[in-house]
């Protein structure tokens, strides 16, 4: 197994040949995006994007002091949290939005109905942040007193994005490309902070502008509000969130899910993601990998015509499918999620083998870079300015599928997941960034390509592709190759291998004028 140039070229060309023509039209009427969108049916959608995450959950999930029941309670709490948050977001009598997906404990939600009504969409995005703050503090946390309270952080932006959907079979996911979806995630800050961009602030009604304060240029923070004021703001818009009803649902979910119904364990073979649920979780030593296409948001937004948008999406779909093929096909890893223009992957075999897991993840990261640099750019020269930034960390990770029926997301939770994500965001394209514990776990032949970058505060490899690894291997093979001894005489030159020369020396038959040489590295440094 491993990345292969010819195989990569063949996969990409086959995908291009079978893709079909891509249409990108403005979304002008309400529609079910889940059934409408596909790889070739794409829509320009004006909407408000909201990200809300449990800031401290990764640390909670990585606590090694828990008993088995303690950990089951924690998994149950996240499952129930996702269920109730999904209800609040999607139910028409509540917010009537779209729960795009959970990225671990982080929610991505979209408000796009009523169509092109910026003030209403922005209002719902701001009020959702206030409601989930109230929900976590006054409904959810009191029901789960065994742990540090969940602390929520949020970010929101509004604007046009392109909605699409790609993947294969059960891997198909909705995706939204554009700066509005991107900025909403990037402005999330520390726990307890709820933020929005200047674009969203500008379209808010006056009563909601009053609960926001500017903290930086084009960045606003939502101020804490009393429950009475929150209820008043919700009532003015006929948004029907009710604390008592929400509390009743949470308590009912908890009652229906005793700890005896929850299990988790390690994995001796590749995890079957579709078999996971709240009843069947995995907790494994694993390497998390995040690979992001640097510059892609700007690349999409530079497209102006429908044809240019179609070409940008063609590149996007090729990159996404090829990265998934490298993870799953070339290295037998787990493709967890696509998150916009980045892929999240997990490697957990060989079981509990730090060096083996770390090596597999890094080799896969090299495979991802190789596909981007040597295959995708060859067949799609228009992708020449795009690069991959890859982050990797190693450690204990929870792997599961949680949430409501029909909307259970693949998730990985733990500090290694957060660390890998942060590393990827911290570096420029064309690089692979790893944590110090990942670096220490690597075998020497991989570790030698990484050096500490004080600016990025991690170990970084620059331009590391399979070609680089192959050349390094040839160099090592040459440097470790056996020497030969050459003697000359009447009969000409006589070449003896190292073993023969050693035997001759032992027997006292060593030639006095023999010279030790190393064969020429005629192959080294060449294609």
């Amino acid at each position: 197994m491993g990345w292969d140039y010819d195989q990569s070229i063949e996969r990409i060309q086959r995908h291009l040949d079978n893709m079909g023509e891509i249409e990108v039209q403005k979304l002008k009427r309400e529609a079910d995006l889940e059934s409408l969108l596909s790889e070739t049916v794409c829509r320009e959608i004006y909407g408000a994007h909201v990200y809300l995450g449990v800031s401290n959950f990764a640390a909670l999930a990585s606590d090694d002091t828990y008993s088995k029941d303690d950990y089951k309670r924690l998994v149950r709490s996240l499952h129930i949290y996702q269920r109730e948050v999904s209800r609040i977001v999607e139910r028409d009598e509540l917010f009537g939005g779209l729960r795009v997906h959970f990225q671990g404990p982080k929610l991505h939600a979209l408000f796009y109905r009523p169509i092109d009504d910026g003030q209403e969409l922005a209002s719902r995005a701001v009020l959702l942040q206030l409601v989930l703050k109230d929900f976590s503090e006054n409904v959810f946390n009191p029901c789960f007193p065994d742990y540090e309270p969940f602390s929520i952080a949020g970010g929101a932006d509004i604007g046009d994005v392109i909605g699409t959907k790609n993947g294969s079979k059960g891997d198909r996911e909705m995706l939204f490309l554009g700066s509005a979806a991107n900025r909403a995630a990037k402005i999330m800050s520390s726990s307890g902070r709820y933020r929005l961009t200047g674009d969203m602030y500008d379209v808010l009604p006056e009563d909601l502008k009053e609960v926001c304060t500017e903290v930086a240029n084009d960045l606003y923070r939502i101020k804490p509000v009393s429950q009475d004021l929150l209820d008043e703001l919700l009532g003015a818009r006929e948004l029907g969130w009710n604390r008592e009803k929400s509390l009743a649902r949470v308590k009912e979910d908890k009652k229906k899910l005793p700890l005896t119904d929850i299990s988790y364990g390690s994995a001796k073979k590749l995890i079957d993601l579709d078999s996971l649920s709240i009843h069947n979780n995995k907790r494994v030593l694993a390497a998390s990998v995040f690979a992001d296409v640097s510059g892609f948001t700007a690349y999409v937004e530079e497209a102006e015509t429908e044809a240019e948008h179609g070409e940008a999406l063609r590149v996007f779909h090729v990159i996404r499918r090829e990265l998934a093929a490298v993870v799953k096909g070339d290295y037998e890893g787990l493709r967890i999620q696509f998150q916009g223009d980045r892929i999240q992957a997990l490697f957990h075999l060989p079981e509990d083998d730090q060096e083996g897991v770390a090596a597999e993840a890094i080799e896969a990261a090299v495979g991802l870079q190789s596909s981007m640099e040597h295959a995708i750019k060859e067949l799609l020269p228009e992708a020449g300015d795009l690069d991959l930034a890859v982050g990797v960390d190693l450690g204990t990770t929870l792997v599961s599928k949680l949430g409501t029926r029909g909307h259970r997301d693949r998730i990985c939770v733990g500090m290694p997941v957060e660390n890998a994500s942060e590393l990827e965001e911290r570096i420029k394209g064309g690089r692979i960034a790893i944590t110090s514990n990942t670096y220490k776990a690597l075998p020497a032949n991989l570790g030698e390509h990484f050096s500490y970058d004080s600016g990025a505060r991690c170990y970084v490899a620059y331009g590391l592709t399979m070609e680089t690894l192959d050349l390094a291997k040839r160099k090592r093979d040459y440097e470790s190759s056996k020497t030969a001894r050459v003697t000359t005489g009447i009969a000409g030159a006589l070449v003896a291998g190292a073993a023969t020369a050693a035997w001759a020396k032992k027997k006292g038959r060593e030639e006095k004028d023999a010279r030790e040489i190393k064969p020429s590295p005629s192959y080294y440094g060449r294609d």
Side-chain angles (χ1 to χ4, degrees):
M1 299 296 293
W3 185 81
D4 178 79
Y5 168 81
D6 292 331
Q7 181 174 278
S8 181
I9 288 288
E10 181 183 345
R11 282 192 305 240
I12 295 168
Q13 189 61 61
R14 185 167 58 248
H15 186 196
L16 287 169
D17 292 342
N18 295 329
M19 188 181 300
E21 186 175 349
I22 297 174
E23 66 168 46
V24 185
Q25 298 178 4
K26 168 73 176 173
L27 184 69
K28 296 180 179 178
R29 60 178 62 89
E30 293 192 8
D32 176 7
L33 299 183
E34 183 73 48
S35 59
L36 172 66
L37 299 177
S38 71
E39 186 174 74
T40 54
V41 178
C42 309
R43 292 292 181 267
E44 184 179 297
I45 302 166
Y46 178 73
H49 292 262
V50 186
Y51 281 83
L52 287 149
V54 183
S55 303
N56 58 336
F57 193 86
L60 292 173
S62 297
D63 192 327
D64 291 327
T65 66
Y66 292 149
S67 68
K68 195 159 189 175
D69 280 353
D70 286 337
Y71 202 78
K72 287 182 179 181
R73 289 188 187 93
L74 186 66
V75 175
R76 178 174 66 178
S77 70
L78 181 60
H79 175 69
I80 293 174
Y81 172 83
Q82 289 190 0
R83 285 174 62 84
E84 182 58 13
V85 168
S86 295
R87 294 181 188 119
I88 293 170
V89 170
E90 294 197 303
R91 286 191 176 181
D92 288 336
E93 69 272 19
L94 297 176
F95 277 82
L98 174 67
R99 180 203 62 76
V100 180
H101 58 195
F102 273 94
Q103 301 170 5
K106 180 168 67 177
L107 165 75
H108 176 196
L110 168 65
F111 296 103
Y112 68 98
R113 300 175 294 185
I115 300 296
D116 292 339
D117 187 340
Q119 186 173 96
E120 179 64 21
L121 301 176
S123 297
R124 295 192 183 198
V126 169
L127 288 169
L128 177 66
Q129 294 191 69
L130 288 172
V131 163
L132 291 190
K133 178 180 186 295
D134 192 335
F135 165 72
S136 63
E137 293 176 355
N138 300 305
V139 175
F140 183 83
N141 287 335
C143 288
F144 297 90
D146 299 311
Y147 307 95
E148 178 184 334
F150 278 17
S151 183
I152 314 299
D157 192 17
I158 193 167
D160 289 311
V161 300
I162 294 178
T164 184
K165 190 177 183 183
N166 73 0
S168 57
K169 298 180 181 178
D171 284 350
R172 292 188 178 94
E173 296 172 348
M174 284 188 295
L175 313 161
F176 298 93
L177 306 174
S179 59
N182 208 28
R183 285 199 304 258
K186 290 189 180 299
I187 65 174
M188 286 181 63
S189 182
S190 55
S191 60
R193 301 260 181 109
Y194 303 84
R195 293 178 162 183
L196 62 148
T197 63
D199 287 344
M200 178 168 281
Y201 177 84
D202 289 343
V203 298
L204 285 174
E206 288 303 318
D207 60 344
L208 288 178
K209 283 185 176 179
E210 290 178 2
V211 304
C212 301
T213 183
E214 190 170 14
V215 294
N217 185 35
D218 199 38
L219 184 64
Y220 290 77
R221 177 175 61 85
I222 304 173
K223 297 183 287 189
V225 301
S226 67
Q227 288 189 341
D228 288 342
L229 177 55
L230 176 56
D231 291 344
E232 181 182 325
L233 294 170
L234 292 169
R237 293 161 179 81
E238 299 182 349
L239 296 175
W241 183 65
N242 181 286
R243 291 175 195 83
E244 287 72 28
K245 290 182 179 179
S246 189
L247 177 61
R249 289 191 295 265
V250 169
K251 287 184 174 179
E252 183 64 18
D253 282 345
K254 189 175 180 181
K255 181 180 178 181
K256 288 181 177 179
L257 189 57
L259 295 185
T260 52
D261 286 354
I262 301 171
S263 68
Y264 72 88
S266 189
K268 296 182 186 225
K269 61 182 181 179
L270 191 67
I271 294 171
D272 176 6
L273 292 170
D274 291 334
S275 72
L276 300 181
S277 70
I278 182 58
H279 306 292
N280 177 29
N281 309 274
K282 298 297 180 183
R283 195 175 189 226
V284 293
L285 171 70
S288 286
V289 176
F290 284 86
D292 179 78
V293 185
S294 298
F296 192 81
T297 298
Y299 177 71
V300 170
E301 294 190 339
E302 285 171 3
E304 296 180 355
T305 67
E306 181 177 333
E308 289 173 341
H309 278 130
E311 283 302 307
L313 285 166
R314 184 166 169 265
V315 171
F316 174 74
H317 291 317
V318 165
I319 292 173
R320 294 281 297 258
R321 183 172 291 190
E322 174 60 12
L323 297 189
V326 171
V327 169
K328 297 191 298 181
D330 295 345
Y331 293 95
E332 293 189 333
L334 299 173
R335 200 281 297 171
I336 302 300
Q337 276 185 344
F338 286 128
Q339 300 171 2
D341 54 9
R342 76 174 180 173
I343 186 172
Q344 177 188 2
L346 192 80
F347 297 87
H348 68 91
L349 295 176
E351 183 189 12
D352 297 329
D353 177 355
Q354 274 200 334
E355 180 175 306
V357 172
E360 190 71 10
I362 296 305
E363 287 176 4
V366 174
L368 293 172
Q369 292 284 12
S370 301
S371 275
M372 189 69 187
E373 295 301 318
H374 301 313
I376 291 171
K377 290 182 179 181
E378 178 175 325
L379 293 177
L380 293 168
E382 55 268 40
D385 292 335
L386 302 177
D387 296 295
L388 280 185
V390 184
V392 184
D393 191 22
L394 177 71
T396 302
T397 303
L398 168 70
V399 190
S400 190
K401 287 179 74 173
L402 305 177
T404 56
R405 186 181 298 276
H407 291 293
R408 292 188 178 130
D409 296 303
R410 300 170 174 183
I411 66 165
C412 291
V413 181
M415 288 309 300
V417 183
E418 300 298 310
N419 293 339
S421 176
E422 289 178 9
L423 289 186
E424 171 267 300
E425 294 172 356
R426 200 183 296 167
I427 59 170
K428 295 180 181 179
R431 294 161 170 80
I432 301 171
I434 63 177
T435 55
S436 58
N437 66 309
T438 307
Y439 176 76
K440 291 174 184 175
L442 285 178
N445 66 306
L446 292 174
E448 67 183 7
H449 297 283
F450 290 83
S451 58
Y452 189 77
D453 185 317
S454 57
R457 306 186 305 281
C458 59
Y459 287 86
V460 178
Y462 303 85
L464 182 56
T465 65
M466 199 60 65
E467 181 180 44
T468 312
L469 290 185
D470 286 345
L471 290 174
K473 182 178 185 300
R474 293 176 187 179
K475 181 180 179 182
R476 285 193 305 274
D477 289 347
Y478 167 67
E479 291 176 344
S480 63
S481 63
K482 295 178 179 179
T483 59
R485 294 180 67 81
V486 178
T487 58
T488 57
I490 297 175
L494 176 65
V495 180
T500 302
W503 178 86
K505 184 176 182 179
K506 185 177 180 180
K507 296 294 184 180
R509 301 178 185 177
E510 182 181 21
E511 297 290 343
K512 293 181 181 180
D513 61 346
R515 292 178 292 114
E516 193 172 272
I517 66 167
K518 183 179 291 241
S520 171
S522 58
Y523 56 86
Y524 175 59
R526 299 183 182 180
D527 292 333

